[in-house]
Amino acid sequence: MRKTNYLKSAYTELSSENLDNLIGYLKQIGGKPLTTKCKRQNAFKISWTEKETKLQTRCHVQNAVEYLIFIKDSITKRQLQTVIADIADYVEYLDSNEDTSFILISTNTLPSAIQFDSAKRLFYNHQIREQNQNNYSTDLLTLYAIRLSLESRVRGLLGIDYATNNGKNIGLSTFIKIAKGLKYVEYSSNTEWTEIEWVNNWLNHHMHRHLRPYPWIIHQALEVLRPFVDPKEPLIKSNRTIHSFYSATYVVDESALQKEIEATLKELYSKVQIRWLDKREIVKKK
């Protein structure tokens, strides 16, 4: 059977026609559309069994389609080439008729020296080397920015600078579990705590192993966190429209909230010590 060349055509020449053909082709081999929850749950998994390989592959392809559609109007040739290089193995699994032989290698890790060089240039020159201004370099740096924003938001709504037990720091995963169960905070209906926990576990897995994730999964992570960290919809309370960075969280009695947080931590840790922030990042009733 004659080989098809959807990946190679788009890789070689970025045009609206080639991009549309690639997206249509990926939709076809990705099979029946999966739910957003299914695609995200499987995207953020950090371990797999062999029998789940086909589902994993379909999730990657369908998430890649969603990502390509999202950036379609501003996509660069380098971005598209990176996506094609990353998706090639999954395409080959689903369709052996598609030509993927032109892809030589898809780098997944960055040496520490390159990361250190990027850190120096970001700090001293406010930029990174031109040759590192691509997905392979910037995606890994993006992970740390996402993780920092998530931790800042959770600690901010809790009003905790840091907390320790027997001198050991209590981690973000615990803070997320506490925030998730609070009774004195009203969260936006768009906040999905289970998905936020998936993202946090996925971030930890990749950061601790210095793995560069696929760009379409980074896109899903940003979509999951957007309603919680960067809400665009205002909060409407008692006929008041409140615009705030913190409109995903609302508290009526902040004193009761602090007591609830402290009591929950003391239930978990017998020797907990809490350093509170001066201000809590939350919308308060006035």
Side-chain angles (χ1 to χ4, degrees):
M1 185 179 293
R2 185 178 178 181
K3 288 279 187 181
T4 54
N5 296 279
Y6 294 102
L7 269 66
K8 188 173 184 179
S9 296
Y11 189 96
T12 305
E13 180 185 353
L14 173 54
S15 67
S16 295
E17 181 181 359
N18 286 342
L19 183 55
D20 286 340
N21 287 341
L22 175 62
I23 291 173
Y25 167 70
L26 292 176
K27 283 183 177 180
Q28 177 187 339
I29 65 170
K32 183 180 178 180
L34 300 165
T35 65
T36 298
K37 184 174 183 179
C38 176
K39 288 188 292 184
R40 286 178 177 172
Q41 182 178 18
N42 288 289
F44 297 128
K45 268 190 176 182
I46 57 177
S47 63
W48 292 84
T49 62
E50 189 173 344
K51 66 180 181 180
E52 296 174 304
T53 300
K54 186 169 184 178
L55 176 60
Q56 177 194 30
T57 302
R58 290 180 60 215
C59 284
H60 278 309
V61 170
Q62 291 190 23
N63 280 322
V65 167
E66 187 173 328
Y67 171 64
L68 287 173
I69 292 173
F70 187 84
I71 65 170
K72 181 180 176 182
D73 293 337
S74 59
I75 194 170
T76 66
K77 185 173 183 178
R78 184 175 288 180
Q79 276 181 305
L80 180 58
Q81 288 179 334
T82 301
V83 171
I84 291 172
D86 284 335
I87 204 72
D89 286 344
Y90 299 111
V91 170
E92 187 174 10
Y93 176 87
L94 292 173
D95 181 17
S96 60
N97 191 50
E98 173 70 8
D99 181 18
T100 60
S101 63
F102 66 99
I103 299 294
L104 298 179
I105 188 170
S106 178
T107 306
N108 192 41
T109 58
L110 287 173
S112 57
I114 295 179
Q115 294 182 46
F116 186 68
D117 179 76
S118 295
K120 287 193 302 180
R121 289 175 178 274
L122 282 169
F123 180 67
Y124 294 115
N125 304 329
H126 311 295
Q127 62 182 0
I128 60 176
R129 290 181 186 272
E130 185 176 353
Q131 60 264 41
N132 291 337
Q133 294 176 18
N134 55 66
N135 285 57
Y136 290 119
S137 299
T138 59
D139 285 356
L140 194 58
L141 297 175
T142 300
L143 287 186
Y144 294 88
I146 295 174
R147 177 58 166 68
L148 183 61
S149 69
L150 175 58
E151 182 165 16
S152 177
R153 184 68 179 98
V154 173
R155 287 177 182 269
L157 81 90
L158 293 176
I160 293 176
D161 183 6
Y162 63 86
T164 62
N165 183 58
N166 279 329
K168 295 182 179 180
N169 286 326
I170 296 171
L172 178 58
S173 296
T174 298
F175 290 142
I176 289 175
K177 286 182 172 63
I178 291 172
K180 178 181 179 180
L182 291 174
K183 298 176 182 177
Y184 282 94
V185 177
E186 181 180 332
Y187 294 107
S188 163
S189 60
N190 295 322
T191 302
E192 295 288 348
W193 282 107
T194 299
E195 294 187 358
I196 289 172
E197 288 178 313
W198 293 343
V199 169
N200 183 53
N201 290 335
W202 169 80
L203 285 168
N204 289 337
H205 176 79
H206 282 75
M207 288 170 59
H208 292 161
R209 291 161 181 78
H210 309 292
L211 298 174
R212 173 193 156 263
Y214 298 121
W216 53 84
I217 306 184
I218 295 177
H219 170 67
Q220 288 298 333
L222 292 170
E223 289 296 292
V224 167
L225 297 182
R226 190 189 308 277
F228 177 59
V229 179
D230 187 28
K232 298 301 182 186
E233 296 298 322
L235 183 69
I236 300 175
K237 287 290 177 184
S238 302
N239 297 321
R240 292 175 59 217
T241 301
I242 305 168
H243 294 270
S244 169
F245 288 119
Y246 314 125
S247 61
T249 51
Y250 179 78
V251 62
V252 174
D253 188 339
E254 191 174 3
S255 175
L257 171 61
Q258 182 154 324
K259 290 177 182 176
E260 181 186 15
I261 294 168
E262 189 169 10
T264 305
L265 276 168
K266 286 181 176 179
E267 285 180 9
L268 295 172
Y269 304 101
S270 59
K271 297 182 179 180
V272 66
Q273 296 290 322
I274 306 170
R275 170 71 178 267
W276 298 99
L277 294 168
D278 292 334
K279 293 183 179 180
R280 186 171 277 108
E281 296 179 354
I282 198 168
V283 176
K284 306 166 190 174
K285 182 180 180 181
K286 292 184 179 180

